[in-house]
Amino acid sequence: MEILKLILENVSLWEVVLLLVVIFLISRPDLINRISILKFGEFEIQLNKLKKEIHEGNEKILELESELENEKRQFEELMDNFDANAPLSQLATVRQRIIAQARNVSEDDIFKKHLKKSSTPEELYTVAVGIREKRPVSLLPDIVSFLDDLAGDPILGGFRLNTIWTLTSAVHKILISCVKEGVGQFPSMDLLDKSEKALKKLDRNPKVLLDRPDDPMRGIRGPIKYSLNWITKAKEKIHNT
């Protein structure tokens, strides 16, 4: 009753009537099709114009949905046209195609969808390259969870080291984006702790320890170290606020 009283005190009677009429017409599309103009005193609604704007709005929504689906389709098509275990020199062209296509992807669900050990080498490689290019801060928890899962597997899920390096490097770049550049939501202390734990676990993985023994920082341990440094900086920021 108080809400109704407040509405009646602040809204004129004809506005209330107009609202009720509009609600009634929405529930009776057969009437809307036969009425072109509603007039209340000096206030006039051009229903034909309104219907046209609604129609155009719906068309734009359908067009946007079509574009999003097309983006996903084109990105996923890349996964079927190469061998992720080919020499890196042969993957250079594929990598550039993935980077170019990833820039057009406006939704992150397509990346998240393939962050799992059951993904094919081509799916994970495509997603890793795409994530490293896009730096989606919102996916940091999912990437960390996936790396933590991989870290407990002596063979890293059977994925090649370069793919894991790319994904770990993506974590490094995402941390720079959110901690240094202020992109997206600043990671919570809980997420930072989980990220630190997962990366240190990955650093102890047998395959990671054998990656580039001649120059470890050029292997997976390089982005692990850089990521841990940014996690430390992020924690210091939280403590200082």
Side-chain angles (χ1 to χ4, degrees), residues 127-155:
V127 164
V129 173
I131 289 175
R132 188 172 184 269
E133 173 63 24
K134 291 280 288 186
R135 307 185 188 187
V137 174
S138 63
L139 283 188
L140 184 58
D142 301 283
I143 302 168
V144 166
S145 178
F146 177 66
L147 287 177
D148 183 64
D149 187 25
L150 280 183
D153 184 346
I155 62 170

Side-chain angles (χ1 to χ4, degrees), residues 79 81-88 91 94 120-126 159-160 162-163:
M79 302 174 184
N81 298 317
F82 72 100
D83 177 7
N85 292 310
L88 291 180
L91 287 178
V94 173
T120 66
E122 290 73 28
E123 288 171 343
L124 188 62
Y125 179 80
T126 303
F159 299 108
R160 72 183 299 174
N162 181 259
T163 299

Side-chain angles (χ1 to χ4, degrees), residues 60-95:
K60 287 180 180 178
I61 291 172
L62 290 173
E63 184 179 338
L64 179 59
E65 290 176 346
S66 178
E67 287 178 4
L68 292 175
E69 287 302 316
N70 190 46
E71 288 172 0
K72 293 178 183 179
R73 179 182 57 78
Q74 289 183 1
F75 188 77
E76 291 193 320
E77 281 178 355
L78 293 172
M79 302 174 184
D80 300 323
N81 298 317
F82 72 100
D83 177 7
N85 292 310
L88 291 180
S89 58
Q90 294 181 22
L91 287 178
T93 301
V94 173
R95 190 180 188 89

Side-chain angles (χ1 to χ4, degrees), residues 9-236:
E9 287 176 351
N10 291 276
V11 180
S12 64
L13 181 59
W14 74 266
E15 288 175 319
V16 174
V17 173
L18 175 61
L19 177 61
L20 291 174
V21 170
V22 170
I23 293 173
F24 173 72
L25 288 173
I26 289 174
S27 67
R28 292 290 304 277
D30 56 315
L31 288 180
I32 291 181
N33 290 332
R34 299 204 301 265
I35 300 174
S36 61
I37 296 176
L38 280 179
K39 193 168 183 179
F40 294 85
E42 297 179 358
F43 190 83
E44 185 177 285
I45 298 179
Q46 302 265 347
L47 286 185
N48 285 336
K49 182 179 178 182
L50 183 60
K51 285 186 283 185
K52 181 181 178 184
E53 290 175 353
I54 291 173
H55 179 70
E56 290 174 350
N58 288 336
E59 283 189 335
K60 287 180 180 178
I61 291 172
L62 290 173
E63 184 179 338
L64 179 59
E65 290 176 346
S66 178
E67 287 178 4
L68 292 175
E69 287 302 316
N70 190 46
E71 288 172 0
K72 293 178 183 179
R73 179 182 57 78
Q74 289 183 1
F75 188 77
E76 291 193 320
E77 281 178 355
L78 293 172
M79 302 174 184
D80 300 323
N81 298 317
F82 72 100
D83 177 7
N85 292 310
L88 291 180
S89 58
Q90 294 181 22
L91 287 178
T93 301
V94 173
R95 190 180 188 89
Q96 290 307 310
R97 286 174 56 208
I98 295 171
I99 288 173
Q101 193 61 50
R103 291 171 183 162
N104 297 324
V105 174
S106 53
E107 291 187 347
D108 297 334
D109 285 350
I110 192 168
F111 299 132
K112 184 177 179 178
K113 175 182 174 182
H114 297 289
L115 281 174
K116 53 187 179 183
K117 288 173 73 174
S118 59
S119 293
T120 66
E122 290 73 28
E123 288 171 343
L124 188 62
Y125 179 80
T126 303
V127 164
V129 173
I131 289 175
R132 188 172 184 269
E133 173 63 24
K134 291 280 288 186
R135 307 185 188 187
V137 174
S138 63
L139 283 188
L140 184 58
D142 301 283
I143 302 168
V144 166
S145 178
F146 177 66
L147 287 177
D148 183 64
D149 187 25
L150 280 183
D153 184 346
I155 62 170
L156 295 174
F159 299 108
R160 72 183 299 174
L161 293 174
N162 181 259
T163 299
I164 308 303
W165 179 93
T166 303
L167 199 53
T168 311
S169 178
V171 172
H172 172 216
K173 288 181 174 291
I174 289 173
L175 286 169
I176 290 176
S177 291
C178 58
V179 177
K180 180 182 179 181
E181 300 168 2
V183 176
Q185 184 176 355
F186 197 89
S188 65
M189 185 63 76
D190 180 59
L191 177 56
L192 292 170
D193 285 340
K194 288 179 179 178
S195 301
E196 182 176 29
K197 181 180 177 181
L199 289 167
K200 287 182 176 179
K201 183 178 174 183
L202 183 63
D203 195 47
R204 297 190 298 269
N205 183 278
K207 284 199 73 173
V208 173
L209 291 172
L210 293 175
D211 186 28
R212 294 301 301 267
D214 58 316
D215 191 356
M217 293 304 291
R218 297 192 68 178
I220 297 172
R221 281 174 285 178
I224 288 177
K225 182 178 184 302
Y226 302 140
S227 297
L228 290 172
N229 288 343
W230 278 103
I231 288 173
T232 299
K233 292 178 183 179
K235 288 186 173 183
E236 289 173 352

